[in-house]
Amino acid sequence: MKRTVDVGRKLTKANRILVELAAANGVEIKKIPGPKRRFRMNYGEKSYLVRAGYVTNAYNHRLALRLCRQKDVANSYLRARGFPAPENATFQKGEAIRAWNWAEAILPVVLKPVDGSTGKMVYVKISDREEFIELFDRIADQYDRVLVEQFKEGEDHRILVVNGKIVGVLKRVPASVVGDGKLSIRELVVAKNKERKDSSVLKQIKLDEEAKRNLAKLNYDFDTIPKKGEQVFLRSNANISDGADSYEVSHLLTEEMKKLVLRAIKSIPGLKVVGVDALIHQDELTIIELNGNPMINIHYDTTCGNGKNVGKDILEAMFPGLEITKELF
């Protein structure tokens, strides 16, 4: 997206969308002098001071944001109020054996940083002791604290809630290729990456150690030729940043699931914009994480191309009376 508005700092793609869309539709963007590189967004009677370049953080309450950042605390909060969330516990660096002893009763489990983002270093469905300890230490070396979480079956979804309304639902499928009976996994990845090279959202699939680890579980390597029609997964997590595919499926979310998600978010005071990571298995929905500063850009470009202009929903909620008529995409 072409940058036209100078806010005095670099912005993520999600925040750039909001700033450019706001400015194009009459919202005043004003830089604040000083080393903190803050800026203000004004329209009508509403004014927001944007710190560190995160627009939605100015709309969400700071305590709600703190809850979202602490995955273990958010999980406990939801479970205490009767919402479906997996059992979990936090462990410190050097506590791999203690963590394994706790996890044994609920195997398989998920390992991830307590305060990580973009799906970095998230390892799913771990049940082998040696693998558990290796991955635990890998996370702990970088983040110190590790979250061990009960694994739940289901398809990965990102549900975007804005001011009490669901405005987008993405189904995310882990990075994969489908065999044609002729090409190797390496060649299939190259071909798929070429198809998505011009996408502003969908990422390149990496032939790295994590991909090698997942393929080894199938006794495959990069030179294996999958059968025609066989889907081979190179990742266990379904994060867009790791090469996942995504599909807009708002129409497939049942009314009961929508009500459940909205009740959960309503229970957290001051949480106006949030990306809810949820697993859906048959008719059951489990809330995995809450993201108070969601990457809204992932809703604009999907594998099937049926994206949604969710920036419009956010800005019209932030600025009552604002009507987004000029779009950027």
Short mmCIF file of all heavy atoms in Angstrom, two decimals, residues 167-230:
data_model
loop_
_atom_site.label_atom_id
_atom_site.label_comp_id
_atom_site.label_asym_id
_atom_site.label_seq_id
_atom_site.Cartn_x
_atom_site.Cartn_y
_atom_site.Cartn_z
N VAL A 167 -16.76 -8.83 12.93
CA VAL A 167 -16.66 -8.20 11.61
C VAL A 167 -15.84 -9.05 10.62
O VAL A 167 -15.81 -8.74 9.43
CB VAL A 167 -16.05 -6.79 11.71
CG1 VAL A 167 -16.92 -5.89 12.58
CG2 VAL A 167 -14.62 -6.82 12.23
N GLY A 168 -15.19 -10.09 11.09
CA GLY A 168 -14.42 -10.95 10.19
C GLY A 168 -14.05 -12.25 10.88
O GLY A 168 -13.76 -12.26 12.07
N VAL A 169 -14.09 -13.34 10.12
CA VAL A 169 -13.68 -14.65 10.65
C VAL A 169 -12.80 -15.33 9.61
O VAL A 169 -13.24 -15.60 8.49
CB VAL A 169 -14.90 -15.55 10.94
CG1 VAL A 169 -14.43 -16.89 11.51
CG2 VAL A 169 -15.87 -14.88 11.89
N LEU A 170 -11.56 -15.59 9.98
CA LEU A 170 -10.64 -16.28 9.09
C LEU A 170 -10.40 -17.70 9.57
O LEU A 170 -10.08 -17.92 10.74
CB LEU A 170 -9.29 -15.55 9.02
CG LEU A 170 -9.21 -14.23 8.28
CD1 LEU A 170 -7.78 -13.70 8.34
CD2 LEU A 170 -9.66 -14.37 6.84
N LYS A 171 -10.54 -18.65 8.67
CA LYS A 171 -10.10 -20.01 8.94
C LYS A 171 -8.67 -20.10 8.43
O LYS A 171 -8.38 -19.76 7.28
CB LYS A 171 -10.98 -21.03 8.22
CG LYS A 171 -10.50 -22.46 8.36
CD LYS A 171 -11.37 -23.41 7.53
CE LYS A 171 -10.82 -24.81 7.52
NZ LYS A 171 -11.65 -25.73 6.67
N ARG A 172 -7.75 -20.55 9.30
CA ARG A 172 -6.34 -20.60 8.94
C ARG A 172 -5.86 -22.05 8.90
O ARG A 172 -6.08 -22.81 9.84
CB ARG A 172 -5.51 -19.78 9.94
CG ARG A 172 -5.92 -18.31 9.98
CD ARG A 172 -5.11 -17.51 10.97
NE ARG A 172 -5.34 -17.92 12.34
CZ ARG A 172 -4.92 -17.24 13.41
NH1 ARG A 172 -4.24 -16.10 13.24
NH2 ARG A 172 -5.17 -17.65 14.62
N VAL A 173 -5.22 -22.40 7.80
CA VAL A 173 -4.74 -23.77 7.59
C VAL A 173 -3.22 -23.76 7.57
O VAL A 173 -2.61 -22.98 6.82
CB VAL A 173 -5.28 -24.34 6.26
CG1 VAL A 173 -4.77 -25.75 6.03
CG2 VAL A 173 -6.81 -24.31 6.26
N PRO A 174 -2.55 -24.57 8.40
CA PRO A 174 -1.09 -24.58 8.45
C PRO A 174 -0.44 -24.71 7.08
O PRO A 174 -1.01 -25.32 6.16
CB PRO A 174 -0.78 -25.81 9.32
CG PRO A 174 -1.98 -25.97 10.17
CD PRO A 174 -3.15 -25.57 9.31
N ALA A 175 0.73 -24.13 6.93
CA ALA A 175 1.47 -24.16 5.67
C ALA A 175 1.54 -25.58 5.13
O ALA A 175 1.96 -26.50 5.83
CB ALA A 175 2.88 -23.61 5.88
N SER A 176 1.12 -25.75 3.89
CA SER A 176 1.07 -27.09 3.32
C SER A 176 1.18 -27.04 1.81
O SER A 176 1.06 -25.97 1.20
CB SER A 176 -0.26 -27.78 3.69
OG SER A 176 -1.35 -27.10 3.08
N VAL A 177 1.39 -28.20 1.21
CA VAL A 177 1.35 -28.36 -0.24
C VAL A 177 0.53 -29.60 -0.55
O VAL A 177 0.38 -30.50 0.30
CB VAL A 177 2.77 -28.50 -0.84
CG1 VAL A 177 3.53 -27.20 -0.72
CG2 VAL A 177 3.54 -29.64 -0.18
N VAL A 178 -0.02 -29.65 -1.76
CA VAL A 178 -0.80 -30.80 -2.20
C VAL A 178 -0.05 -31.50 -3.33
O VAL A 178 0.30 -30.87 -4.33
CB VAL A 178 -2.20 -30.38 -2.67
CG1 VAL A 178 -2.98 -31.59 -3.19
CG2 VAL A 178 -2.97 -29.71 -1.53
N GLY A 179 0.20 -32.79 -3.15
CA GLY A 179 0.98 -33.54 -4.12
C GLY A 179 0.28 -33.72 -5.47
O GLY A 179 -0.96 -33.75 -5.54
N ASP A 180 1.10 -33.84 -6.52
CA ASP A 180 0.57 -34.14 -7.86
C ASP A 180 1.13 -35.48 -8.38
O ASP A 180 0.89 -35.86 -9.52
CB ASP A 180 0.88 -33.02 -8.85
CG ASP A 180 2.38 -32.82 -9.06
OD1 ASP A 180 3.19 -33.53 -8.41
OD2 ASP A 180 2.75 -31.95 -9.87
N GLY A 181 1.89 -36.16 -7.51
CA GLY A 181 2.46 -37.44 -7.89
C GLY A 181 3.72 -37.33 -8.70
O GLY A 181 4.33 -38.35 -9.06
N LYS A 182 4.16 -36.10 -8.99
CA LYS A 182 5.35 -35.88 -9.83
C LYS A 182 6.41 -35.03 -9.14
O LYS A 182 7.60 -35.35 -9.19
CB LYS A 182 4.94 -35.23 -11.14
CG LYS A 182 3.95 -36.03 -11.98
CD LYS A 182 3.54 -35.26 -13.22
CE LYS A 182 2.50 -36.04 -14.04
NZ LYS A 182 2.06 -35.28 -15.23
N LEU A 183 5.97 -33.94 -8.52
CA LEU A 183 6.92 -32.99 -7.94
C LEU A 183 7.24 -33.34 -6.48
O LEU A 183 6.40 -33.88 -5.76
CB LEU A 183 6.36 -31.57 -8.00
CG LEU A 183 6.07 -30.99 -9.39
CD1 LEU A 183 5.49 -29.59 -9.28
CD2 LEU A 183 7.34 -30.98 -10.24
N SER A 184 8.45 -33.01 -6.06
CA SER A 184 8.87 -33.21 -4.68
C SER A 184 8.25 -32.12 -3.80
O SER A 184 7.74 -31.11 -4.30
CB SER A 184 10.39 -33.15 -4.56
OG SER A 184 10.84 -31.83 -4.83
N ILE A 185 8.32 -32.31 -2.50
CA ILE A 185 7.82 -31.30 -1.57
C ILE A 185 8.54 -29.98 -1.78
O ILE A 185 7.94 -28.91 -1.80
CB ILE A 185 7.98 -31.78 -0.12
CG1 ILE A 185 7.03 -32.95 0.15
CG2 ILE A 185 7.72 -30.64 0.87
CD1 ILE A 185 7.21 -33.61 1.50
N ARG A 186 9.84 -30.05 -2.00
CA ARG A 186 10.63 -28.84 -2.25
C ARG A 186 10.10 -28.11 -3.49
O ARG A 186 9.91 -26.88 -3.48
CB ARG A 186 12.10 -29.20 -2.45
CG ARG A 186 13.03 -27.99 -2.57
CD ARG A 186 14.41 -28.44 -3.05
NE ARG A 186 14.94 -29.54 -2.24
CZ ARG A 186 15.58 -29.37 -1.10
NH1 ARG A 186 15.74 -28.16 -0.60
NH2 ARG A 186 16.05 -30.42 -0.43
N GLU A 187 9.85 -28.84 -4.56
CA GLU A 187 9.38 -28.23 -5.81
C GLU A 187 7.96 -27.69 -5.67
O GLU A 187 7.62 -26.63 -6.23
CB GLU A 187 9.44 -29.26 -6.94
CG GLU A 187 10.87 -29.65 -7.33
CD GLU A 187 10.91 -30.87 -8.24
OE1 GLU A 187 10.06 -31.78 -8.08
OE2 GLU A 187 11.81 -30.91 -9.12
N LEU A 188 7.13 -28.38 -4.89
CA LEU A 188 5.77 -27.91 -4.66
C LEU A 188 5.76 -26.61 -3.86
O LEU A 188 4.95 -25.71 -4.13
CB LEU A 188 4.96 -28.99 -3.92
CG LEU A 188 4.62 -30.24 -4.73
CD1 LEU A 188 4.10 -31.33 -3.80
CD2 LEU A 188 3.61 -29.94 -5.83
N VAL A 189 6.66 -26.50 -2.90
CA VAL A 189 6.77 -25.27 -2.10
C VAL A 189 7.22 -24.11 -2.97
O VAL A 189 6.67 -23.00 -2.90
CB VAL A 189 7.74 -25.46 -0.92
CG1 VAL A 189 8.10 -24.12 -0.28
CG2 VAL A 189 7.13 -26.39 0.12
N VAL A 190 8.20 -24.35 -3.83
CA VAL A 190 8.68 -23.30 -4.73
C VAL A 190 7.55 -22.80 -5.62
O VAL A 190 7.37 -21.59 -5.82
CB VAL A 190 9.86 -23.82 -5.59
CG1 VAL A 190 10.20 -22.82 -6.70
CG2 VAL A 190 11.08 -24.07 -4.72
N ALA A 191 6.76 -23.73 -6.14
CA ALA A 191 5.64 -23.36 -7.02
C ALA A 191 4.58 -22.57 -6.27
O ALA A 191 4.04 -21.57 -6.79
CB ALA A 191 5.03 -24.62 -7.63
N LYS A 192 4.26 -22.99 -5.05
CA LYS A 192 3.25 -22.29 -4.27
C LYS A 192 3.72 -20.90 -3.86
O LYS A 192 2.95 -19.93 -3.87
CB LYS A 192 2.87 -23.11 -3.03
CG LYS A 192 1.69 -22.55 -2.26
CD LYS A 192 1.18 -23.53 -1.23
CE LYS A 192 -0.07 -23.01 -0.53
NZ LYS A 192 -0.65 -24.00 0.41
N ASN A 193 4.99 -20.79 -3.50
CA ASN A 193 5.55 -19.49 -3.13
C ASN A 193 5.51 -18.52 -4.31
O ASN A 193 5.29 -17.32 -4.14
CB ASN A 193 6.98 -19.64 -2.62
CG ASN A 193 7.03 -20.17 -1.20
OD1 ASN A 193 6.04 -20.14 -0.48
ND2 ASN A 193 8.20 -20.67 -0.79
N LYS A 194 5.71 -19.04 -5.50
CA LYS A 194 5.68 -18.21 -6.70
C LYS A 194 4.26 -17.65 -6.91
O LYS A 194 4.09 -16.50 -7.31
CB LYS A 194 6.11 -19.01 -7.92
CG LYS A 194 6.31 -18.20 -9.19
CD LYS A 194 6.84 -19.06 -10.33
CE LYS A 194 8.22 -19.60 -10.03
NZ LYS A 194 8.80 -20.36 -11.19
N GLU A 195 3.25 -18.47 -6.63
CA GLU A 195 1.86 -18.05 -6.79
C GLU A 195 1.48 -16.91 -5.84
O GLU A 195 0.66 -16.07 -6.18
CB GLU A 195 0.92 -19.23 -6.55
CG GLU A 195 0.97 -20.31 -7.61
CD GLU A 195 0.10 -21.51 -7.26
OE1 GLU A 195 -0.51 -21.49 -6.15
OE2 GLU A 195 0.03 -22.46 -8.06
N ARG A 196 2.08 -16.90 -4.66
CA ARG A 196 1.68 -15.90 -3.66
C ARG A 196 2.72 -14.79 -3.47
O ARG A 196 2.65 -14.01 -2.51
CB ARG A 196 1.43 -16.57 -2.31
CG ARG A 196 2.57 -17.42 -1.80
CD ARG A 196 2.34 -17.90 -0.37
NE ARG A 196 1.14 -18.69 -0.19
CZ ARG A 196 0.72 -19.13 1.00
NH1 ARG A 196 1.42 -18.87 2.09
NH2 ARG A 196 -0.39 -19.85 1.10
N LYS A 197 3.67 -14.68 -4.40
CA LYS A 197 4.75 -13.70 -4.24
C LYS A 197 4.26 -12.25 -4.26
O LYS A 197 4.90 -11.36 -3.70
CB LYS A 197 5.83 -13.89 -5.30
CG LYS A 197 5.40 -13.61 -6.73
CD LYS A 197 6.54 -13.86 -7.71
CE LYS A 197 6.12 -13.63 -9.15
NZ LYS A 197 5.76 -12.23 -9.42
N ASP A 198 3.11 -12.00 -4.90
CA ASP A 198 2.61 -10.63 -4.98
C ASP A 198 1.58 -10.32 -3.89
O ASP A 198 1.04 -9.21 -3.84
CB ASP A 198 1.97 -10.38 -6.35
CG ASP A 198 2.99 -10.43 -7.48
OD1 ASP A 198 4.14 -10.01 -7.24
OD2 ASP A 198 2.64 -10.89 -8.58
N SER A 199 1.30 -11.28 -3.02
CA SER A 199 0.33 -11.06 -1.95
C SER A 199 0.91 -10.13 -0.89
O SER A 199 2.09 -10.24 -0.52
CB SER A 199 -0.08 -12.39 -1.30
OG SER A 199 -0.89 -12.16 -0.18
N SER A 200 0.08 -9.23 -0.39
CA SER A 200 0.51 -8.31 0.66
C SER A 200 0.38 -8.95 2.04
O SER A 200 0.83 -8.38 3.03
CB SER A 200 -0.33 -7.03 0.62
OG SER A 200 -1.70 -7.34 0.83
N VAL A 201 -0.24 -10.12 2.10
CA VAL A 201 -0.51 -10.77 3.39
C VAL A 201 0.08 -12.18 3.47
O VAL A 201 0.81 -12.51 4.39
CB VAL A 201 -2.03 -10.84 3.66
CG1 VAL A 201 -2.30 -11.65 4.92
CG2 VAL A 201 -2.60 -9.44 3.81
N LEU A 202 -0.26 -13.04 2.50
CA LEU A 202 0.17 -14.43 2.54
C LEU A 202 1.69 -14.53 2.42
O LEU A 202 2.29 -13.94 1.51
CB LEU A 202 -0.51 -15.21 1.41
CG LEU A 202 -2.04 -15.24 1.47
CD1 LEU A 202 -2.62 -15.90 0.23
CD2 LEU A 202 -2.51 -15.96 2.74
N LYS A 203 2.30 -15.27 3.32
CA LYS A 203 3.76 -15.32 3.40
C LYS A 203 4.34 -16.54 2.67
O LYS A 203 3.64 -17.51 2.39
CB LYS A 203 4.19 -15.37 4.87
CG LYS A 203 3.69 -14.21 5.70
CD LYS A 203 4.20 -12.88 5.18
CE LYS A 203 3.74 -11.74 6.07
NZ LYS A 203 4.19 -10.42 5.54
N GLN A 204 5.62 -16.45 2.40
CA GLN A 204 6.33 -17.54 1.76
C GLN A 204 6.49 -18.71 2.76
O GLN A 204 6.71 -18.51 3.95
CB GLN A 204 7.72 -17.08 1.31
CG GLN A 204 7.68 -15.95 0.28
CD GLN A 204 7.26 -16.45 -1.10
OE1 GLN A 204 8.02 -17.13 -1.77
NE2 GLN A 204 6.06 -16.09 -1.52
N ILE A 205 6.35 -19.92 2.24
CA ILE A 205 6.55 -21.11 3.06
C ILE A 205 8.05 -21.38 3.14
O ILE A 205 8.74 -21.38 2.12
CB ILE A 205 5.81 -22.32 2.47
CG1 ILE A 205 4.31 -22.05 2.41
CG2 ILE A 205 6.10 -23.58 3.28
CD1 ILE A 205 3.51 -23.12 1.71
N LYS A 206 8.55 -21.61 4.35
CA LYS A 206 9.98 -21.79 4.54
C LYS A 206 10.36 -23.27 4.63
O LYS A 206 9.71 -24.05 5.32
CB LYS A 206 10.43 -21.07 5.81
CG LYS A 206 10.20 -19.57 5.78
CD LYS A 206 10.54 -18.95 7.12
CE LYS A 206 10.26 -17.46 7.12
NZ LYS A 206 10.52 -16.84 8.45
N LEU A 207 11.42 -23.61 3.93
CA LEU A 207 11.99 -24.96 4.04
C LEU A 207 13.11 -24.90 5.09
O LEU A 207 14.29 -24.91 4.78
CB LEU A 207 12.54 -25.39 2.68
CG LEU A 207 11.48 -25.61 1.58
CD1 LEU A 207 12.14 -25.81 0.23
CD2 LEU A 207 10.59 -26.80 1.93
N ASP A 208 12.70 -24.81 6.35
CA ASP A 208 13.65 -24.62 7.44
C ASP A 208 13.64 -25.82 8.39
O ASP A 208 13.06 -26.86 8.10
CB ASP A 208 13.33 -23.32 8.19
CG ASP A 208 11.88 -23.30 8.69
OD1 ASP A 208 11.20 -24.34 8.62
OD2 ASP A 208 11.44 -22.23 9.16
N GLU A 209 14.29 -25.65 9.55
CA GLU A 209 14.39 -26.74 10.51
C GLU A 209 13.02 -27.16 11.05
O GLU A 209 12.79 -28.34 11.31
CB GLU A 209 15.31 -26.34 11.67
CG GLU A 209 16.78 -26.31 11.31
CD GLU A 209 17.29 -27.67 10.83
OE1 GLU A 209 16.94 -28.69 11.47
OE2 GLU A 209 18.01 -27.71 9.83
N GLU A 210 12.12 -26.20 11.22
CA GLU A 210 10.79 -26.53 11.72
C GLU A 210 10.01 -27.35 10.70
O GLU A 210 9.30 -28.30 11.05
CB GLU A 210 10.02 -25.25 12.09
CG GLU A 210 8.62 -25.47 12.63
CD GLU A 210 8.56 -26.30 13.90
OE1 GLU A 210 9.61 -26.53 14.53
OE2 GLU A 210 7.46 -26.74 14.26
N ALA A 211 10.15 -26.98 9.43
CA ALA A 211 9.50 -27.77 8.37
C ALA A 211 10.10 -29.17 8.33
O ALA A 211 9.38 -30.17 8.20
CB ALA A 211 9.69 -27.08 7.02
N LYS A 212 11.41 -29.26 8.47
CA LYS A 212 12.09 -30.56 8.46
C LYS A 212 11.62 -31.42 9.64
O LYS A 212 11.41 -32.63 9.50
CB LYS A 212 13.60 -30.34 8.54
CG LYS A 212 14.43 -31.60 8.37
CD LYS A 212 15.92 -31.30 8.51
CE LYS A 212 16.42 -30.40 7.40
NZ LYS A 212 17.89 -30.17 7.49
N ARG A 213 11.42 -30.78 10.81
CA ARG A 213 10.98 -31.50 12.00
C ARG A 213 9.58 -32.09 11.81
O ARG A 213 9.31 -33.24 12.18
CB ARG A 213 10.97 -30.55 13.21
CG ARG A 213 10.69 -31.22 14.54
CD ARG A 213 10.72 -30.20 15.68
NE ARG A 213 9.55 -29.34 15.64
CZ ARG A 213 8.38 -29.65 16.21
NH1 ARG A 213 8.23 -30.80 16.84
NH2 ARG A 213 7.37 -28.81 16.16
N ASN A 214 8.70 -31.32 11.21
CA ASN A 214 7.33 -31.79 10.98
C ASN A 214 7.27 -32.89 9.92
O ASN A 214 6.52 -33.85 10.05
CB ASN A 214 6.43 -30.62 10.59
CG ASN A 214 6.00 -29.80 11.79
OD1 ASN A 214 5.16 -30.20 12.57
ND2 ASN A 214 6.61 -28.63 11.94
N LEU A 215 8.09 -32.74 8.88
CA LEU A 215 8.11 -33.77 7.84
C LEU A 215 8.70 -35.08 8.36
O LEU A 215 8.27 -36.17 7.95
CB LEU A 215 8.91 -33.27 6.64
CG LEU A 215 8.27 -32.15 5.81
CD1 LEU A 215 9.23 -31.70 4.71
CD2 LEU A 215 6.95 -32.60 5.21
N ALA A 216 9.65 -34.97 9.26
CA ALA A 216 10.30 -36.18 9.80
C ALA A 216 9.30 -37.06 10.54
O ALA A 216 9.46 -38.29 10.58
CB ALA A 216 11.44 -35.78 10.74
N LYS A 217 8.25 -36.46 11.09
CA LYS A 217 7.23 -37.24 11.78
C LYS A 217 6.47 -38.14 10.81
O LYS A 217 5.85 -39.12 11.22
CB LYS A 217 6.25 -36.31 12.50
CG LYS A 217 6.87 -35.52 13.65
CD LYS A 217 5.85 -34.62 14.31
CE LYS A 217 6.47 -33.86 15.48
NZ LYS A 217 5.49 -32.98 16.15
N LEU A 218 6.51 -37.79 9.52
CA LEU A 218 5.86 -38.59 8.49
C LEU A 218 6.85 -39.49 7.76
O LEU A 218 6.50 -40.16 6.79
CB LEU A 218 5.18 -37.66 7.47
CG LEU A 218 4.14 -36.67 7.99
CD1 LEU A 218 3.74 -35.69 6.89
CD2 LEU A 218 2.93 -37.42 8.52
N ASN A 219 8.12 -39.43 8.22
CA ASN A 219 9.22 -40.10 7.52
C ASN A 219 9.41 -39.52 6.11
O ASN A 219 9.77 -40.23 5.17
CB ASN A 219 8.99 -41.62 7.44
CG ASN A 219 9.08 -42.28 8.80
OD1 ASN A 219 9.94 -41.95 9.61
ND2 ASN A 219 8.16 -43.21 9.06
N TYR A 220 9.15 -38.22 6.00
CA TYR A 220 9.34 -37.48 4.74
C TYR A 220 10.51 -36.53 4.89
O TYR A 220 10.93 -36.17 6.00
CB TYR A 220 8.10 -36.66 4.40
CG TYR A 220 6.89 -37.43 3.90
CD1 TYR A 220 6.90 -38.81 3.76
CD2 TYR A 220 5.72 -36.75 3.56
CE1 TYR A 220 5.79 -39.51 3.30
CE2 TYR A 220 4.59 -37.43 3.11
CZ TYR A 220 4.63 -38.80 2.98
OH TYR A 220 3.54 -39.48 2.53
N ASP A 221 11.06 -36.11 3.73
CA ASP A 221 12.00 -34.99 3.71
C ASP A 221 11.63 -34.10 2.53
O ASP A 221 10.62 -34.32 1.86
CB ASP A 221 13.46 -35.48 3.63
CG ASP A 221 13.72 -36.34 2.39
OD1 ASP A 221 13.06 -36.13 1.35
OD2 ASP A 221 14.59 -37.23 2.47
N PHE A 222 12.45 -33.09 2.26
CA PHE A 222 12.10 -32.12 1.22
C PHE A 222 12.07 -32.74 -0.17
O PHE A 222 11.44 -32.20 -1.09
CB PHE A 222 13.08 -30.94 1.24
CG PHE A 222 13.03 -30.14 2.51
CD1 PHE A 222 14.19 -29.57 3.04
CD2 PHE A 222 11.84 -29.95 3.18
CE1 PHE A 222 14.15 -28.83 4.21
CE2 PHE A 222 11.79 -29.20 4.36
CZ PHE A 222 12.95 -28.64 4.87
N ASP A 223 12.74 -33.86 -0.35
CA ASP A 223 12.79 -34.49 -1.67
C ASP A 223 11.74 -35.59 -1.87
O ASP A 223 11.68 -36.21 -2.94
CB ASP A 223 14.19 -35.07 -1.91
CG ASP A 223 15.25 -33.97 -1.97
OD1 ASP A 223 14.98 -32.93 -2.60
OD2 ASP A 223 16.33 -34.14 -1.37
N THR A 224 10.93 -35.80 -0.85
CA THR A 224 9.84 -36.80 -0.97
C THR A 224 8.81 -36.33 -2.00
O THR A 224 8.47 -35.14 -2.06
CB THR A 224 9.15 -36.99 0.39
OG1 THR A 224 10.10 -37.48 1.34
CG2 THR A 224 7.98 -37.98 0.27
N ILE A 225 8.32 -37.26 -2.80
CA ILE A 225 7.27 -36.95 -3.79
C ILE A 225 5.93 -37.44 -3.23
O ILE A 225 5.69 -38.66 -3.18
CB ILE A 225 7.56 -37.61 -5.15
CG1 ILE A 225 8.89 -37.09 -5.71
CG2 ILE A 225 6.41 -37.34 -6.13
CD1 ILE A 225 9.30 -37.75 -7.03
N PRO A 226 5.04 -36.54 -2.78
CA PRO A 226 3.76 -36.97 -2.23
C PRO A 226 2.84 -37.55 -3.31
O PRO A 226 2.98 -37.22 -4.50
CB PRO A 226 3.16 -35.67 -1.67
CG PRO A 226 4.29 -34.68 -1.65
CD PRO A 226 5.22 -35.09 -2.75
N LYS A 227 1.91 -38.38 -2.90
CA LYS A 227 0.94 -38.93 -3.82
C LYS A 227 0.03 -37.83 -4.36
O LYS A 227 -0.13 -36.79 -3.73
CB LYS A 227 0.08 -39.99 -3.12
CG LYS A 227 0.86 -41.20 -2.63
CD LYS A 227 -0.04 -42.14 -1.87
CE LYS A 227 0.73 -43.34 -1.32
NZ LYS A 227 -0.15 -44.23 -0.51
N LYS A 228 -0.59 -38.07 -5.50
CA LYS A 228 -1.50 -37.10 -6.08
C LYS A 228 -2.68 -36.87 -5.12
O LYS A 228 -3.32 -37.81 -4.66
CB LYS A 228 -2.02 -37.60 -7.42
CG LYS A 228 -2.89 -36.59 -8.16
CD LYS A 228 -3.26 -37.09 -9.55
CE LYS A 228 -4.09 -36.04 -10.29
NZ LYS A 228 -4.45 -36.50 -11.66
N GLY A 229 -2.94 -35.60 -4.81
CA GLY A 229 -4.03 -35.23 -3.92
C GLY A 229 -3.69 -35.27 -2.45
O GLY A 229 -4.51 -34.87 -1.60
N GLU A 230 -2.49 -35.72 -2.08
CA GLU A 230 -2.09 -35.80 -0.68
C GLU A 230 -1.67 -34.43 -0.17
O GLU A 230 -0.81 -33.78 -0.76
CB GLU A 230 -0.93 -36.79 -0.50
CG GLU A 230 -0.45 -36.91 0.93
CD GLU A 230 0.79 -37.77 1.08
OE1 GLU A 230 1.30 -38.27 0.04
OE2 GLU A 230 1.26 -37.96 2.22
#
